[in-house]
Amino acid sequence: MKPSTESRKLPPLPPGDIRIITLGGVEEIGKNMTAIEINNDILVIDMGLAFPTEETPGVDYIIPDVSYLEQNRSRIRGVIITHGHLDHTGGVPYIMSRIGNPPLYTRNLTALFIKKRLDEFPHLPPVDIRIVEKTDRIKIGNVPVRFFGVTHTIPDSMGVIIETAYGLIVTPGDFKLDLDKVDGVPTPEEETTYSIFDREKVLLLMSDSTNIENPGFSPPEREVHKNLEAIIKNVKGRLFIGTFASQLERMIKIIGFAEKYDRKIVIEGRSMKTNVEVAELAGLLQVKKGTIIPVTEIGNYPEDKLLILATGAQGEEFAALMRIANKTHKQLRFKKGDTVLLSSSIIPGNEITVQKLKDNIARQEAKIIHYRTSEVYIHASGHGNRGEIEWLHKKIKPKFFIPIHGWHHKLRVHAEMAMELGLPEKNIVVPDNGMVIEITDKGRKIGARKETVSSRLVLVDGLGTNDVKEVVIRDRVMLAQDGMFVIIGIVNVKTGRVVKSPDIISRGFVYLKESQDLLHQVRVLAKRKIEEATNRMHPINFDYVKNLLREEVGRYLFQKTHQRPIVLPVLIEV
Amino acid sequence: MKPSTESRKLPPLPPGDIRIITLGGVEEIGKNMTAIEINNDILVIDMGLAFPTEETPGVDYIIPDVSYLEQNRSRIRGVIITHGHLDHTGGVPYIMSRIGNPPLYTRNLTALFIKKRLDEFPHLPPVDIRIVEKTDRIKIGNVPVRFFGVTHTIPDSMGVIIETAYGLIVTPGDFKLDLDKVDGVPTPEEETTYSIFDREKVLLLMSDSTNIENPGFSPPEREVHKNLEAIIKNVKGRLFIGTFASQLERMIKIIGFAEKYDRKIVIEGRSMKTNVEVAELAGLLQVKKGTIIPVTEIGNYPEDKLLILATGAQGEEFAALMRIANKTHKQLRFKKGDTVLLSSSIIPGNEITVQKLKDNIARQEAKIIHYRTSEVYIHASGHGNRGEIEWLHKKIKPKFFIPIHGWHHKLRVHAEMAMELGLPEKNIVVPDNGMVIEITDKGRKIGARKETVSSRLVLVDGLGTNDVKEVVIRDRVMLAQDGMFVIIGIVNVKTGRVVKSPDIISRGFVYLKESQDLLHQVRVLAKRKIEEATNRMHPINFDYVKNLLREEVGRYLFQKTHQRPIVLPVLIEV
């Protein structure tokens, strides 16, 4: 990775000042990562990945650009991971060794998830993972750091408190509030947790903006559990439940309900199997022997006594639910009498694939219960709505505020909410990826520097060892639009004449079998243009001829088809 | 277009039977088209297009497969278009001349829209458009056909009633109910319209399933108008409104409110300009002189007195809103003090582009009001929710039912609703595209034939005169994943030796500048494999060598990169 020129120009941080660099997660959902510098110590919070979109085809993951950390690796004292989801942990295998493998601090379950993931990268140096408890106070470098437990969809989620000379820096990580019902009143446990902020001065809050646009409070997960229990108890026939493997708390509950109502469980999908194993390893789940059965034994039990937990509720092409639905799964098919419960929201961008999944299930006459159309809550987000976010601000009463986690517009809405609660505009910074924010004047001022650090899209593909360059992605997007057109001419270097008719290779452009006339015209055109160009040329400037050919052929193809394939001329000298 | 073998096998329809062929719109949202055969007459209802998805990159439109109609064009007596939206009209330029240009029946505004569109296809034979009124009764072939007005988002929307010996065939087209408020009580006008069905026997209902999964009644458009009026009246600074150009009733209202509150209107976006022109032409809109101003005169008016109506609320790359947002618009920029109202829903698949649009607007500090997060209704769908659909079924009390318009799963849900209302399962057919449904036994039975008619994806691209073949689309999808890799070897036909090192052309695969070693290895491998193969071969079987090369190079590249570019070997014989 090329160090950006911007980051080189960053002056050293004056003693007493605090620098916050938002490396990822503030212009998107995903790849969350923030660096905090205090005196000579750099702390990193979270190291996530994001999933590709239509604009980054053929890519596996997108990770934050850590050029700045690479250049300053000697000052990195530790990495804190708030919880075990990939948008907070997924960058670990790709980033840790680049930044000098500093110690990684996290809670037990998160540590187990990270270790499980790192097993897939045996060539990497081991990561020094140090388990912390939610009430711990530790020192990372010279910086005192504390933690607090937060409610999310995975156990062992935690917030981070960094103690500074001017007050606390607080981030809850991903959080929602634990409510008994949808009334906006948190449980006494939540009140107790957050009561630590009643007594302490908070210098800076950085918090999640994912659901800031949703009014009110998010439906409580315990409401979802209650409804799932009723379904698991009452549904006749086989029950399939599709959910995110990352919804670990819900999976633990579902497995418990299955045991209670005497259903055997089949788990389909690697990530789900892994996550259940990790939950057992962490002691968060005790499954009785014989509860989880292999799919091959499914025929030994009455259908009312079966629950199939499966990945793929987003309609992912190769996940279990889709393979069952499109009849490519080895052992399972949907049929009349089955119920398929999709206990997950639709990630933006997946609407059409989810629709296709539902269509394929419906064709096999299984009944579908989907959270969007269910009359009761069968899914709840792990991120608090506006009501919860507002509650947090009122509890924490920060002096300064940086909205994080979300698209730019969400951060703006979050910042406006903070202003409505009384924070002056000058105390708020809406960050971009790569922005360098500093708290100066002995904690009296906050502001963004004009210099930024490098924040390119870093794309991980295939073996994951190489970055995919943006130019490659641009080509893919262009290839997907109108395909490509290679034209190969063999040119006699002495005479400049084209030997034989040029060859054409094309894909994704037009249907070649029905375009013979077009191809013939292009061959004639190409031969003529090459020979016109080489006619008075001694020696032949092949680059010039190639560029000319690219232009002429491209123009001709557009005129005839209104399409613009990537035209690639090849001249072979004989 | 190749006639499908299936459709050839369809036996002629016995006299007295009725055949319904769902040609499009029943496995997707869009490209609605149904053919109805009664004795020797074929009637076609609607002729829509659908927009491409991720699976059909680089395509402009998708239209229904009309092979069956082409083969039976001599029996087509007429085409009925229910309203002026592209999912009902957009196939007209591509299909009409293929099926022998039968007369096209529709109401005035729809006719004007179709004519406007056909102006862009001057090479086509003229279409014989015959205007009907909503209360007309006409004969198409020997079939008596009546119409009735329905509420949708565009004026002149109509339902169709076909009289048969066994009762009426009814389809409302796209519809919602006109309500005063969200209470499920239609206006007296709606009650009057639908009261025709109190006295008549309905044999078959075919109706819209788009919003069947949404509970209750859809918000009334008049509620939206009231809220838009308040915003237009009260907003300080410039007001931008982004909506679908197809929301013609709403645009007419907005223009009226602008005049009432003395705002000048700028219209940005070709489809919006066209639609306003058509509305004026139809006499549905009288704009005072000077109300609509050119964008160049925007500086002559105070900001509170400006309203900019713009296309692109879906985040379309080249539409007006996006060009203003990403600063490529010639005259307009967003700024602090502007309000941007997005008065449209997000079409599934556009979530991320809409998010990007909002981000770009937010970066320029304009305030965004979006229907999803607005506290009042600023958008309503033109399709009725489940409550309205249920109301329709109860009013029409059909003997048979075919759910149309929507994804398969939606049709199923719609069919289940009909069963809950008391219709026996055997009286309902859930169709697929290309399904042949017949009403037999003197109107006593309904069922789908086992034979179907051709229902391929017909893709329209570029100049729109040629179909894009599915193989081309498959290549585009593959190219977008891992790119392509052309390897060119020059082979001496006599010796079988490779002359010079092979050439490589690659795009969308790896970053070539950083992959010199890989490319070198591939050249060495290719040369060796070619020469090994040609070694004992006289004469050389070049196809065999090429296939071998494709396989060997493909395998090697996968092994080294875990990617599978399309490998295209070229052997040049010298």
Side-chain angles (χ1 to χ4, degrees):
Chain A
M1 207 184 303
K2 198 182 66 179
S4 81
T5 47
E6 299 95 334
S7 57
R8 286 202 189 126
K9 285 183 288 183
L10 259 193
L13 185 70
D17 286 0
I18 297 167
R19 184 177 277 172
I20 296 116
I21 305 181
T22 43
L23 292 164
V26 298
E27 297 182 33
E28 62 265 311
I29 300 286
K31 71 177 174 75
N32 298 298
M33 187 168 185
T34 307
I36 296 177
E37 282 186 63
I38 298 177
N39 297 320
N40 210 32
D41 298 325
I42 298 178
L43 279 60
V44 175
I45 301 179
D46 289 326
M47 199 173 275
L49 59 74
F51 290 96
T53 68
E54 252 187 298
E55 289 179 4
T56 46
V59 158
D60 291 331
Y61 310 118
I62 306 171
I63 57 171
D65 182 343
V66 293
S67 311
Y68 177 79
L69 293 181
E70 289 185 74
Q71 293 151 34
N72 293 281
R73 65 172 83 185
S74 64
R75 296 192 293 124
I76 303 173
R77 308 297 172 219
V79 173
I80 301 162
I81 306 285
T82 56
H83 64 280
H85 285 158
L86 287 173
D87 55 336
H88 293 255
T89 64
V92 168
Y94 309 109
I95 294 173
M96 280 302 269
S97 54
R98 291 190 193 181
I99 62 168
N101 250 325
L104 185 153
Y105 299 86
T106 195
R107 289 172 76 183
N108 185 46
L109 179 70
T110 315
L112 289 171
F113 272 114
I114 292 171
K115 281 179 190 157
K116 193 94 190 174
R117 191 83 205 288
L118 284 169
D119 286 349
E120 295 167 33
F121 298 80
H123 57 285
L124 290 179
V127 175
D128 171 14
I129 301 182
R130 303 183 186 178
I131 309 287
V132 297
E133 300 298 332
K134 65 178 175 183
T135 49
D136 277 358
R137 182 175 186 274
I138 61 171
K139 274 208 165 186
I140 301 181
N142 289 310
V143 184
V145 178
R146 283 185 277 156
F147 309 103
F148 60 105
V150 299
T151 302
H152 190 43
T153 54
I154 187 168
D156 283 9
S157 296
M158 68 181 189
V160 180
I161 299 170
I162 295 169
E163 299 179 7
T164 81
Y166 321 114
L168 308 180
I169 295 177
V170 178
T171 181
D174 288 358
F175 82 103
K176 66 187 295 188
L177 290 179
D178 191 20
L179 316 173
D180 277 319
K181 47 184 192 301
V182 201
D183 58 359
V185 182
T187 56
E189 291 78 13
E190 291 281 31
E191 289 282 0
T192 308
T193 297
Y194 286 92
S195 68
I196 46 174
F197 300 108
D198 295 347
R199 303 175 299 273
E200 300 201 65
K201 201 179 106 188
V202 175
L203 176 69
L204 169 69
L205 171 66
M206 300 188 289
S207 84
D208 181 13
S209 314
T210 307
N211 282 347
I212 185 74
E213 293 182 280
N214 299 357
F217 285 74
S218 66
E221 184 67 23
R222 60 182 76 212
E223 189 87 13
V224 173
H225 294 164
K226 200 183 71 187
N227 296 328
L228 290 178
E229 176 168 6
I231 291 169
I232 291 168
K233 182 179 171 193
N234 297 324
V235 153
K236 303 288 169 228
R238 301 189 299 179
L239 175 61
F240 292 75
I241 300 185
T243 188
F244 297 119
S246 59
Q247 292 275 10
L248 199 62
E249 296 210 341
R250 193 176 301 162
M251 291 217 300
I252 292 168
K253 281 286 179 186
I254 289 171
I255 292 169
F257 296 140
E259 289 192 328
K260 184 168 171 188
Y261 299 106
D262 209 21
R263 284 191 192 252
K264 297 293 173 187
I265 299 168
V266 173
I267 300 179
E268 282 299 296
R270 198 173 67 108
S271 58
M272 215 165 248
K273 280 182 184 158
T274 303
N275 289 9
V276 169
E277 274 169 40
V278 170
E280 286 195 82
L281 209 60
L284 295 163
L285 175 66
Q286 287 84 35
V287 189
K288 286 185 204 130
K289 208 165 169 286
T291 294
I292 297 177
I293 61 166
V295 65
T296 47
E297 290 180 15
I298 206 164
N300 303 345
Y301 300 91
E303 306 207 326
D304 289 357
K305 295 295 169 202
L306 289 170
L307 189 157
I308 298 98
L309 259 178
T311 54
Q314 295 295 313
E316 301 96 324
E317 195 176 351
F318 300 110
L321 277 181
M322 193 54 121
R323 283 185 292 120
I324 306 171
N326 66 20
K327 304 188 183 177
T328 59
H329 193 282
K330 272 190 195 148
Q331 291 93 0
L332 291 169
R333 292 285 176 280
F334 291 121
K335 59 180 184 186
K336 203 164 182 164
D338 287 343
T339 298
V340 185
L341 190 146
L342 299 175
S343 174
S344 71
S345 59
I346 303 176
I347 294 173
N350 290 353
E351 279 73 12
I352 289 179
T353 53
V354 171
Q355 193 59 59
K356 289 199 172 149
L357 173 69
K358 287 164 74 180
D359 280 9
N360 281 334
I361 296 170
R363 280 190 186 281
Q364 294 166 68
E365 303 194 52
K367 184 181 156 71
I368 299 171
I369 307 178
H370 192 223
Y371 92 106
R372 266 200 195 165
T373 51
S374 165
E375 278 162 27
V376 297
Y377 294 122
I378 58 166
H379 169 71
S381 169
H383 301 262
N385 281 0
R386 189 181 175 96
E388 282 141 297
I389 297 171
E390 204 171 300
W391 184 94
L392 181 90
H393 278 256
K394 287 176 181 164
K395 266 290 177 207
I396 293 188
K397 294 180 293 292
K399 176 170 186 178
F400 299 130
F401 172 57
I402 302 174
I404 56 172
H405 299 180
W407 295 90
H408 184 78
H409 172 247
K410 289 179 191 283
L411 307 192
R412 290 259 175 186
V413 173
H414 197 171
E416 277 156 28
M417 193 206 75
M419 284 190 263
E420 283 166 27
L421 293 175
L423 218 58
E425 191 168 0
K426 67 177 175 38
N427 287 16
I428 300 171
V429 178
V430 176
D432 290 323
N433 289 333
M435 188 180 270
V436 179
I437 300 164
E438 288 178 354
I439 297 175
T440 53
D441 278 8
K442 298 191 188 302
R444 284 194 204 97
K445 261 185 71 179
I446 192 166
R449 296 193 68 91
K450 62 178 195 306
E451 308 93 334
T452 58
V453 305
S454 176
S455 62
R456 294 180 311 113
L457 276 186
V458 182
L459 308 168
V460 183
D461 190 356
L463 286 178
T465 42
N466 266 329
D467 297 342
V468 185
K469 288 294 181 291
E470 285 180 60
V471 58
V472 173
I473 298 301
R474 267 204 305 278
D475 282 343
R476 286 183 190 168
V477 170
M478 283 178 67
L479 287 167
Q481 278 303 303
D482 291 332
M484 58 87 173
F485 193 93
V486 180
I487 181 149
I488 305 166
I490 307 172
V491 180
N492 181 316
V493 193
K494 284 189 198 134
T495 64
R497 306 286 293 176
V498 176
V499 182
K500 294 194 294 191
S501 179
D503 273 313
I504 289 171
I505 315 278
S506 174
R507 287 289 185 283
F509 166 47
V510 294
Y511 189 49
L512 298 180
K513 279 192 189 159
E514 292 180 1
S515 311
Q516 289 308 320
D517 187 50
L518 178 75
L519 299 186
H520 174 70
Q521 297 299 337
V522 173
R523 282 196 195 93
V524 171
L525 174 84
K527 186 173 190 307
R528 196 179 73 233
K529 290 292 169 189
I530 295 169
E531 292 180 350
E532 277 173 18
T534 55
N535 193 18
R536 290 169 305 274
M537 219 185 242
H538 301 288
I540 298 170
N541 178 342
F542 277 94
D543 279 341
Y544 171 84
V545 180
K546 262 161 58 172
N547 282 334
L548 180 90
L549 201 56
R550 179 181 293 118
E551 254 174 51
E552 295 284 351
V553 170
R555 186 180 306 141
Y556 184 80
L557 293 176
F558 181 74
Q559 188 192 321
K560 292 291 172 188
T561 66
H562 271 211
Q563 293 185 61
R564 298 188 190 280
I566 298 186
V567 175
L568 300 163
V570 183
L571 295 181
I572 291 170
E573 310 165 30
V574 291
Chain B
M1 207 184 299
K2 199 181 64 179
S4 81
T5 48
E6 300 93 333
S7 56
R8 285 202 188 128
K9 283 182 290 183
L10 259 194
L13 184 71
D17 287 1
I18 296 167
R19 187 177 274 171
I20 296 114
I21 305 180
T22 43
L23 292 165
V26 298
E27 297 183 32
E28 62 264 312
I29 300 286
K31 71 176 174 77
N32 298 298
M33 188 168 186
T34 307
I36 297 177
E37 281 186 64
I38 298 178
N39 298 317
N40 211 33
D41 297 323
I42 298 178
L43 279 61
V44 175
I45 301 178
D46 289 325
M47 200 174 273
L49 57 73
F51 290 97
T53 67
E54 249 187 299
E55 289 179 3
T56 45
V59 159
D60 291 331
Y61 309 118
I62 307 171
I63 58 172
D65 182 342
V66 293
S67 310
Y68 177 78
L69 294 181
E70 289 185 73
Q71 292 152 35
N72 293 280
R73 63 171 84 184
S74 64
R75 297 193 291 124
I76 303 173
R77 308 296 172 220
V79 174
I80 302 162
I81 305 286
T82 56
H83 64 279
H85 285 158
L86 286 173
D87 55 337
H88 293 255
T89 65
V92 169
Y94 309 108
I95 294 174
M96 280 302 270
S97 54
R98 289 189 195 184
I99 63 167
N101 250 325
L104 186 154
Y105 300 86
T106 195
R107 288 172 76 183
N108 184 48
L109 179 70
T110 315
L112 290 171
F113 271 115
I114 292 172
K115 282 180 193 155
K116 195 92 192 175
R117 192 81 205 290
L118 285 169
D119 287 347
E120 295 168 34
F121 299 80
H123 58 286
L124 290 179
V127 174
D128 171 14
I129 301 181
R130 304 183 186 178
I131 309 287
V132 297
E133 300 298 332
K134 66 178 172 181
T135 51
D136 278 356
R137 182 174 186 273
I138 61 170
K139 274 207 166 187
I140 300 181
N142 288 307
V143 184
V145 178
R146 283 185 275 155
F147 308 104
F148 60 105
V150 300
T151 301
H152 190 42
T153 53
I154 185 167
D156 283 8
S157 297
M158 68 180 186
V160 179
I161 299 171
I162 294 169
E163 299 180 8
T164 82
Y166 320 114
L168 309 180
I169 296 176
V170 177
T171 182
D174 288 359
F175 82 102
K176 66 185 297 186
L177 291 178
D178 190 21
L179 315 172
D180 277 319
K181 47 185 192 298
V182 201
D183 58 0
V185 181
T187 57
E189 292 77 12
E190 291 280 33
E191 289 282 359
T192 308
T193 297
Y194 287 92
S195 68
I196 47 173
F197 300 107
D198 295 347
R199 302 176 300 274
E200 299 201 67
K201 204 179 104 189
V202 175
L203 177 69
L204 169 68
L205 171 67
M206 300 188 290
S207 84
D208 179 13
S209 315
T210 308
N211 282 348
I212 185 73
E213 293 182 281
N214 298 359
F217 285 74
S218 65
E221 185 66 22
R222 61 183 75 213
E223 190 86 12
V224 173
H225 295 166
K226 200 182 71 187
N227 296 327
L228 291 178
E229 177 169 5
I231 291 169
I232 291 168
K233 182 180 172 189
N234 297 324
V235 152
K236 305 285 171 232
R238 303 189 299 180
L239 175 61
F240 292 74
I241 300 186
T243 188
F244 297 118
S246 60
Q247 292 272 10
L248 198 63
E249 297 210 340
R250 193 176 301 161
M251 290 216 302
I252 292 169
K253 283 285 180 186
I254 289 171
I255 292 170
F257 296 141
E259 289 193 329
K260 184 168 171 186
Y261 299 106
D262 209 22
R263 283 191 192 253
K264 298 292 174 189
I265 300 168
V266 174
I267 301 180
E268 281 299 296
R270 198 173 68 106
S271 58
M272 216 165 246
K273 279 182 184 157
T274 303
N275 290 8
V276 169
E277 273 168 41
V278 171
E280 287 195 83
L281 208 59
L284 294 163
L285 175 65
Q286 287 83 34
V287 189
K288 287 186 206 130
K289 207 165 170 287
T291 295
I292 297 177
I293 61 166
V295 64
T296 46
E297 289 179 14
I298 206 162
N300 304 345
Y301 300 91
E303 307 207 325
D304 289 357
K305 295 296 171 202
L306 289 170
L307 189 158
I308 298 98
L309 259 178
T311 54
Q314 294 296 312
E316 301 95 324
E317 197 176 351
F318 300 110
L321 277 180
M322 194 54 121
R323 283 186 291 120
I324 306 172
N326 66 22
K327 304 188 183 176
T328 59
H329 192 283
K330 272 189 194 149
Q331 290 94 359
L332 291 168
R333 293 286 177 277
F334 292 120
K335 59 180 186 186
K336 201 164 186 164
D338 289 342
T339 298
V340 185
L341 189 145
L342 300 175
S343 173
S344 72
S345 60
I346 302 175
I347 294 174
N350 291 352
E351 280 73 11
I352 290 178
T353 52
V354 172
Q355 193 59 59
K356 288 199 173 151
L357 172 68
K358 287 163 75 179
D359 280 10
N360 281 334
I361 297 171
R363 280 189 186 283
Q364 293 166 67
E365 303 194 54
K367 183 178 157 71
I368 299 170
I369 307 179
H370 191 223
Y371 93 105
R372 267 202 194 163
T373 50
S374 164
E375 276 162 29
V376 297
Y377 294 122
I378 57 164
H379 169 72
S381 170
H383 301 263
N385 281 1
R386 189 183 175 95
E388 282 141 296
I389 296 171
E390 204 172 297
W391 185 94
L392 181 89
H393 278 256
K394 286 177 181 164
K395 265 288 178 213
I396 292 189
K397 294 181 292 295
K399 177 170 184 177
F400 298 130
F401 172 57
I402 302 174
I404 56 172
H405 299 182
W407 294 90
H408 183 79
H409 173 247
K410 289 180 193 282
L411 308 192
R412 291 259 175 187
V413 173
H414 196 170
E416 277 157 27
M417 192 205 77
M419 283 190 264
E420 283 166 27
L421 294 175
L423 218 58
E425 190 168 358
K426 66 176 173 41
N427 288 15
I428 300 171
V429 178
V430 176
D432 289 323
N433 290 333
M435 187 181 272
V436 179
I437 301 165
E438 287 177 355
I439 297 177
T440 54
D441 280 8
K442 297 191 188 301
R444 285 194 203 97
K445 263 183 70 178
I446 193 167
R449 296 194 68 92
K450 61 179 193 308
E451 308 92 334
T452 57
V453 304
S454 177
S455 64
R456 294 180 310 113
L457 276 186
V458 182
L459 308 169
V460 183
D461 191 356
L463 287 178
T465 44
N466 266 329
D467 299 342
V468 185
K469 288 292 181 293
E470 284 180 59
V471 57
V472 173
I473 299 300
R474 267 203 306 279
D475 282 343
R476 286 183 191 167
V477 170
M478 283 177 67
L479 288 168
Q481 278 305 302
D482 291 332
M484 58 88 175
F485 194 92
V486 180
I487 180 149
I488 304 166
I490 306 173
V491 181
N492 182 316
V493 192
K494 285 186 198 138
T495 64
R497 306 287 293 179
V498 176
V499 182
K500 294 195 294 190
S501 181
D503 273 314
I504 289 170
I505 315 278
S506 173
R507 287 291 185 282
F509 167 48
V510 294
Y511 189 51
L512 298 179
K513 279 192 190 158
E514 290 180 3
S515 311
Q516 289 308 320
D517 188 48
L518 178 75
L519 299 185
H520 174 70
Q521 296 299 336
V522 174
R523 282 197 194 92
V524 171
L525 174 84
K527 185 171 190 309
R528 197 178 74 232
K529 290 292 169 188
I530 296 170
E531 292 180 350
E532 277 173 16
T534 55
N535 191 18
R536 290 169 307 273
M537 221 186 242
H538 301 289
I540 298 170
N541 178 341
F542 276 94
D543 279 341
Y544 171 83
V545 180
K546 262 159 63 172
N547 281 334
L548 179 91
L549 201 57
R550 178 180 295 118
E551 252 174 54
E552 295 284 350
V553 170
R555 185 180 306 138
Y556 184 79
L557 293 177
F558 181 74
Q559 188 193 322
K560 291 293 172 188
T561 66
H562 273 211
Q563 295 186 59
R564 298 187 189 282
I566 297 186
V567 176
L568 299 163
V570 182
L571 295 182
I572 291 170
E573 309 165 31
V574 290

